[in-house]
Each structure stands twice: as structure tokens, then as C-alpha cells.
Amino acid sequence: MSQPSRRFSTIDPEAKAPTLKRLRQLSRLLDKAIIIPGTRVGIGLDPILGLIPVGGDFLGVMLSAYIILESARLGVPARTLGRMVFNIIIDGLAGTAPVLGDLFDFAWTANERNVRLLEEYLRFPSQNQSANKWFVFAVLIGLLFVAIVLVALPVIIMRLLWGALTGS
């Protein structure tokens, strides 16, 4: 008999419901913690963090990466994890643009989208193969790199603008 493939450690089935509940709460906190009265528009911690110069988008990406890590532990396949990472990258990169990026953060609820992708997987888990631990490791390193770029990019832009304004 062939040996079973080594996968990223999975969570016990009894732990899936509390984990999913925790991820839903985190997603709500990050994307729509406060609903504007009379609308369906919510303001979460992610857009507010985005207002913090330089480090805000870094923190947002790192908090969002937790949802991906837990999704991998629940056995989400590589393709779905890739879609989740794409959502976070769009959120992080768009958030670096002053003012417009912050407005985009209100509309693009990457964490809610990622929890929906997780829920979709959990409805039919046997149809997909879990991502292996090396893929998950590469995804997390990639997100760390994106977060670092989100810190470095505004610093570089501010330095270039300062040099152009002062003539140095």
C-alpha cells in the first residue's frame, strides 16, 4: 500500500465549528464591526488600520493571514488558499494609495470573502484535496513579503516626494 500523503496538520472535526465561529468573528471585526445606521455598509478595523501611515496595511495583512492559516489547518485546498491570498493582496496593495485606498478598504471586504470561501469548502470537503504544508508555508512567506512591501512602498514614495519638494 502506498503511504498517505503528508498534509498540513488538520483540526479535529469537533473543533471546526468553534474555529469557523472564531474566524467569522475576526472577519466581522476586520471588515464590518460597526454598521452605519440605515445602510448595509460596515466599517471594520482593517480600513481603520489602513489610515495609520506605513504600518497600518502591514497589520491588516498580518491579521488577514491568520484566516488563511486556520483555513489551511481545516484542510482547504491550494486553489482556494490561492484565491484567499489574492483577496488579501488586492486589499493590501489598494490600501497603500492615500485616501482612495482607504475608501477601497471599506468596499473590498477581503476577510468576509475569505470566510465565505472557507464555508464553501466546508460544505463539500471531500471533493478537494488539502494543501500540503510546504504550499501553506510558501503562502505565509509570500504574505509576509507583501506586508513588508506595504511598509516599504510608502516610505520610498515619501522619500522621493520629499526629495522632489526639497530639491535634494
Side-chain angles (χ1 to χ4, degrees):
M1 276 179 50
S2 66
Q3 204 157 355
S5 65
R6 297 185 67 168
R7 290 192 238 158
F8 193 76
S9 66
T10 57
I11 293 177
D12 184 10
E14 289 83 38
K16 286 183 180 181
T19 300
L20 185 57
K21 181 180 178 184
R22 186 174 62 249
L23 295 178
R24 283 181 183 145
Q25 288 171 339
L26 177 62
S27 168
R28 184 175 176 276
L29 176 68
L30 291 173
D31 288 339
K32 292 191 177 187
I34 302 167
I35 302 295
I36 298 171
T39 70
R40 290 183 165 192
V41 177
I43 300 171
L45 188 59
D46 189 28
I48 294 169
L49 285 173
L51 295 172
I52 300 171
V54 183
D57 292 316
F58 175 84
L59 290 172
V61 168
M62 289 293 98
L63 289 170
S64 297
Y66 176 74
I67 294 173
I68 292 178
L69 177 63
E70 286 294 322
S71 296
R73 291 185 65 216
L74 287 170
V76 171
R79 181 175 180 190
T80 304
L81 290 175
R83 290 173 62 193
M84 290 176 162
V85 169
F86 183 71
N87 287 334
I88 292 173
I89 289 172
I90 288 174
D91 185 37
L93 290 178
T96 61
V99 183
L100 290 177
D102 297 323
L103 292 174
F104 181 81
D105 262 348
F106 289 111
W108 185 264
T109 53
N111 299 299
E112 263 191 3
R113 292 170 189 264
N114 288 346
V115 168
R116 271 188 260 138
L117 287 170
L118 172 61
E119 289 170 341
E120 184 180 307
Y121 162 75
L122 289 175
R123 280 191 208 110
F124 307 103
S126 61
Q127 293 180 353
N128 298 304
Q129 183 180 358
S130 300
N132 71 29
K133 66 181 178 180
W134 294 110
F135 178 79
V136 173
F137 180 74
V139 162
L140 293 176
I141 293 298
L143 282 175
L144 179 62
F145 177 74
V146 167
I148 290 169
V149 167
L150 292 176
V151 170
L153 189 62
V155 170
I156 292 168
I157 291 171
M158 286 188 296
R159 186 169 184 211
L160 291 173
L161 286 174
W162 182 256
L165 291 174
T166 61
S168 56

